[in-house]
Short mmCIF file of all heavy atoms in Angstrom, two decimals:
data_model
loop_
_atom_site.label_atom_id
_atom_site.label_comp_id
_atom_site.label_asym_id
_atom_site.label_seq_id
_atom_site.Cartn_x
_atom_site.Cartn_y
_atom_site.Cartn_z
N ARG A 1 0.83 -1.22 0.00
CA ARG A 1 0.01 0.00 0.02
C ARG A 1 0.86 1.26 0.00
O ARG A 1 2.08 1.20 0.21
CB ARG A 1 -0.93 0.00 1.22
CG ARG A 1 -0.21 0.06 2.54
CD ARG A 1 -1.15 -0.12 3.72
NE ARG A 1 -0.46 0.01 4.98
CZ ARG A 1 -0.27 1.15 5.64
NH1 ARG A 1 -0.78 2.29 5.13
NH2 ARG A 1 0.36 1.20 6.77
N VAL A 2 0.21 2.40 -0.25
CA VAL A 2 0.87 3.69 -0.18
C VAL A 2 0.89 4.12 1.29
O VAL A 2 -0.16 4.26 1.92
CB VAL A 2 0.10 4.74 -1.02
CG1 VAL A 2 0.79 6.11 -0.87
CG2 VAL A 2 0.09 4.32 -2.49
N THR A 3 2.08 4.35 1.81
CA THR A 3 2.19 4.71 3.25
C THR A 3 2.45 6.19 3.48
O THR A 3 2.27 6.70 4.58
CB THR A 3 3.36 3.93 3.89
OG1 THR A 3 4.58 4.24 3.18
CG2 THR A 3 3.10 2.42 3.82
N ALA A 4 2.82 6.94 2.42
CA ALA A 4 3.03 8.37 2.57
C ALA A 4 2.99 9.02 1.19
O ALA A 4 3.34 8.41 0.17
CB ALA A 4 4.37 8.67 3.23
N ARG A 5 2.55 10.31 1.18
CA ARG A 5 2.55 11.14 -0.04
C ARG A 5 3.13 12.49 0.28
O ARG A 5 2.89 13.04 1.34
CB ARG A 5 1.13 11.28 -0.60
CG ARG A 5 0.49 9.99 -1.13
CD ARG A 5 -0.90 10.29 -1.67
NE ARG A 5 -1.56 9.06 -2.13
CZ ARG A 5 -1.50 8.59 -3.38
NH1 ARG A 5 -0.80 9.23 -4.27
NH2 ARG A 5 -2.12 7.47 -3.70
N TYR A 6 3.87 13.00 -0.70
CA TYR A 6 4.43 14.34 -0.54
C TYR A 6 4.32 15.03 -1.90
O TYR A 6 4.77 14.52 -2.91
CB TYR A 6 5.91 14.25 -0.14
CG TYR A 6 6.63 15.57 -0.18
CD1 TYR A 6 6.59 16.44 0.91
CD2 TYR A 6 7.37 15.95 -1.29
CE1 TYR A 6 7.23 17.68 0.89
CE2 TYR A 6 8.03 17.20 -1.33
CZ TYR A 6 7.95 18.05 -0.23
OH TYR A 6 8.61 19.24 -0.26
N ALA A 7 3.70 16.19 -1.89
CA ALA A 7 3.56 17.01 -3.12
C ALA A 7 4.67 18.06 -3.14
O ALA A 7 4.87 18.77 -2.16
CB ALA A 7 2.19 17.63 -3.19
N LYS A 8 5.36 18.17 -4.25
CA LYS A 8 6.44 19.15 -4.42
C LYS A 8 5.93 20.53 -4.09
O LYS A 8 4.89 20.98 -4.59
CB LYS A 8 6.91 19.06 -5.88
CG LYS A 8 8.12 19.93 -6.24
CD LYS A 8 8.48 19.65 -7.69
CE LYS A 8 9.70 20.40 -8.17
NZ LYS A 8 10.03 20.06 -9.59
N HIS A 9 6.69 21.27 -3.26
CA HIS A 9 6.27 22.61 -2.83
C HIS A 9 6.60 23.68 -3.84
O HIS A 9 5.74 24.50 -4.18
CB HIS A 9 6.95 22.96 -1.50
CG HIS A 9 6.44 22.17 -0.33
ND1 HIS A 9 6.63 22.54 0.97
CD2 HIS A 9 5.77 20.99 -0.26
CE1 HIS A 9 6.07 21.67 1.80
NE2 HIS A 9 5.58 20.70 1.04
N HIS A 10 7.84 23.69 -4.30
CA HIS A 10 8.31 24.79 -5.16
C HIS A 10 8.31 24.33 -6.58
O HIS A 10 8.97 23.37 -6.95
CB HIS A 10 9.69 25.22 -4.70
CG HIS A 10 9.70 25.90 -3.37
ND1 HIS A 10 9.32 27.21 -3.19
CD2 HIS A 10 9.98 25.42 -2.12
CE1 HIS A 10 9.39 27.52 -1.90
NE2 HIS A 10 9.79 26.43 -1.25
N LEU A 11 7.55 25.00 -7.40
CA LEU A 11 7.33 24.60 -8.81
C LEU A 11 8.07 25.56 -9.70
O LEU A 11 7.70 26.73 -9.84
CB LEU A 11 5.81 24.65 -9.13
CG LEU A 11 4.97 23.77 -8.23
CD1 LEU A 11 3.49 24.00 -8.48
CD2 LEU A 11 5.32 22.28 -8.38
N PRO A 12 9.17 25.11 -10.35
CA PRO A 12 9.97 26.00 -11.14
C PRO A 12 9.22 26.52 -12.35
O PRO A 12 8.46 25.82 -12.97
CB PRO A 12 11.16 25.12 -11.56
CG PRO A 12 10.63 23.72 -11.46
CD PRO A 12 9.68 23.73 -10.33
N ASN A 13 9.50 27.75 -12.67
CA ASN A 13 8.77 28.43 -13.74
C ASN A 13 9.74 29.31 -14.53
O ASN A 13 9.46 30.46 -14.83
CB ASN A 13 7.65 29.27 -13.18
CG ASN A 13 6.52 29.50 -14.19
OD1 ASN A 13 6.03 28.54 -14.80
ND2 ASN A 13 6.12 30.71 -14.41
N TYR A 14 10.92 28.77 -14.85
CA TYR A 14 11.95 29.50 -15.56
C TYR A 14 12.68 28.51 -16.50
O TYR A 14 12.61 27.30 -16.32
CB TYR A 14 12.95 30.11 -14.55
CG TYR A 14 13.59 29.10 -13.65
CD1 TYR A 14 14.73 28.39 -14.00
CD2 TYR A 14 13.02 28.82 -12.39
CE1 TYR A 14 15.29 27.46 -13.19
CE2 TYR A 14 13.57 27.88 -11.55
CZ TYR A 14 14.71 27.20 -11.92
OH TYR A 14 15.27 26.25 -11.09
N GLY A 15 13.38 29.09 -17.48
CA GLY A 15 14.17 28.24 -18.37
C GLY A 15 13.29 27.19 -19.03
O GLY A 15 12.28 27.49 -19.68
N VAL A 16 13.65 25.91 -18.83
CA VAL A 16 12.93 24.82 -19.46
C VAL A 16 11.68 24.38 -18.70
O VAL A 16 10.96 23.50 -19.13
CB VAL A 16 13.86 23.59 -19.64
CG1 VAL A 16 15.07 23.96 -20.46
CG2 VAL A 16 14.27 23.00 -18.30
N PHE A 17 11.48 24.98 -17.53
CA PHE A 17 10.40 24.54 -16.63
C PHE A 17 9.14 25.38 -16.77
O PHE A 17 9.19 26.62 -16.90
CB PHE A 17 10.87 24.55 -15.18
CG PHE A 17 12.09 23.71 -14.94
CD1 PHE A 17 13.33 24.32 -14.70
CD2 PHE A 17 12.03 22.32 -14.92
CE1 PHE A 17 14.45 23.59 -14.49
CE2 PHE A 17 13.16 21.56 -14.70
CZ PHE A 17 14.39 22.18 -14.46
N ASP A 18 8.02 24.70 -16.67
CA ASP A 18 6.68 25.36 -16.77
C ASP A 18 5.71 24.74 -15.74
O ASP A 18 4.56 24.56 -16.02
CB ASP A 18 6.17 25.21 -18.21
CG ASP A 18 4.96 26.04 -18.46
OD1 ASP A 18 4.76 27.05 -17.80
OD2 ASP A 18 4.17 25.68 -19.37
N GLU A 19 6.25 24.43 -14.55
CA GLU A 19 5.48 23.63 -13.63
C GLU A 19 4.41 24.43 -12.89
O GLU A 19 3.39 23.87 -12.47
CB GLU A 19 6.39 22.96 -12.62
CG GLU A 19 7.26 21.89 -13.23
CD GLU A 19 7.91 20.94 -12.20
OE1 GLU A 19 7.54 21.05 -11.01
OE2 GLU A 19 8.68 20.13 -12.58
N ARG A 20 4.63 25.73 -12.70
CA ARG A 20 3.66 26.51 -11.93
C ARG A 20 2.31 26.56 -12.63
O ARG A 20 1.27 26.63 -12.00
CB ARG A 20 4.20 27.93 -11.67
CG ARG A 20 3.50 28.67 -10.57
CD ARG A 20 4.14 30.01 -10.35
NE ARG A 20 5.54 29.86 -9.96
CZ ARG A 20 6.44 30.83 -9.98
NH1 ARG A 20 6.07 32.04 -10.39
NH2 ARG A 20 7.68 30.63 -9.63
N ARG A 21 2.36 26.52 -13.96
CA ARG A 21 1.10 26.55 -14.73
C ARG A 21 0.37 25.21 -14.66
O ARG A 21 -0.85 25.15 -14.71
CB ARG A 21 1.42 26.86 -16.19
CG ARG A 21 0.20 26.87 -17.11
CD ARG A 21 0.57 27.13 -18.54
NE ARG A 21 1.43 26.10 -19.10
CZ ARG A 21 0.95 24.97 -19.64
NH1 ARG A 21 -0.33 24.75 -19.64
NH2 ARG A 21 1.76 24.08 -20.13
N ILE A 22 1.14 24.13 -14.52
CA ILE A 22 0.56 22.80 -14.60
C ILE A 22 0.15 22.21 -13.28
O ILE A 22 -0.93 21.63 -13.15
CB ILE A 22 1.60 21.88 -15.31
CG1 ILE A 22 1.89 22.35 -16.72
CG2 ILE A 22 1.10 20.43 -15.32
CD1 ILE A 22 3.08 21.68 -17.37
N PHE A 23 1.05 22.33 -12.28
CA PHE A 23 0.83 21.64 -11.02
C PHE A 23 0.35 22.60 -9.89
O PHE A 23 0.63 23.80 -9.94
CB PHE A 23 2.10 20.96 -10.51
CG PHE A 23 2.64 19.89 -11.44
CD1 PHE A 23 3.83 20.11 -12.16
CD2 PHE A 23 1.96 18.72 -11.61
CE1 PHE A 23 4.32 19.13 -13.00
CE2 PHE A 23 2.46 17.71 -12.46
CZ PHE A 23 3.64 17.93 -13.15
N ALA A 24 -0.30 22.02 -8.95
CA ALA A 24 -0.61 22.71 -7.71
C ALA A 24 0.49 22.41 -6.69
O ALA A 24 0.94 21.29 -6.60
CB ALA A 24 -1.97 22.27 -7.15
N PRO A 25 0.93 23.39 -5.90
CA PRO A 25 2.02 23.14 -4.95
C PRO A 25 1.49 22.43 -3.72
O PRO A 25 0.36 22.59 -3.31
CB PRO A 25 2.52 24.56 -4.63
CG PRO A 25 1.29 25.39 -4.78
CD PRO A 25 0.53 24.81 -5.92
N GLY A 26 2.40 21.65 -3.10
CA GLY A 26 2.12 21.06 -1.79
C GLY A 26 2.50 22.03 -0.70
O GLY A 26 3.18 23.01 -0.94
N ASP A 27 2.10 21.72 0.54
CA ASP A 27 2.47 22.58 1.64
C ASP A 27 2.77 21.83 2.92
O ASP A 27 2.97 22.43 3.98
CB ASP A 27 1.35 23.62 1.91
CG ASP A 27 0.00 23.01 2.17
OD1 ASP A 27 -0.08 21.75 2.38
OD2 ASP A 27 -1.00 23.73 2.19
N SER A 28 2.78 20.47 2.85
CA SER A 28 3.01 19.67 4.05
C SER A 28 4.35 18.95 3.98
O SER A 28 4.73 18.44 2.93
CB SER A 28 1.91 18.65 4.22
OG SER A 28 0.64 19.26 4.34
N PRO A 29 5.12 18.93 5.09
CA PRO A 29 6.40 18.19 5.12
C PRO A 29 6.11 16.67 5.11
O PRO A 29 5.00 16.22 5.37
CB PRO A 29 7.06 18.67 6.36
CG PRO A 29 5.92 19.00 7.26
CD PRO A 29 4.83 19.55 6.40
N CYS A 30 7.19 15.91 4.88
CA CYS A 30 7.05 14.45 4.92
C CYS A 30 8.31 13.85 5.54
O CYS A 30 9.43 14.08 5.07
CB CYS A 30 6.85 13.92 3.50
SG CYS A 30 6.58 12.13 3.45
#
C-alpha cells in the first residue's frame, strides 16, 4: 500500500520549466 505522499512545494517556472502553470504546490512536510 501507499504509506506516505508528498507534493512538491516549489514549482519551477523558468528556463525549461513550466510547472507553476501545470501543478498545484504542496504545503506539508514528509
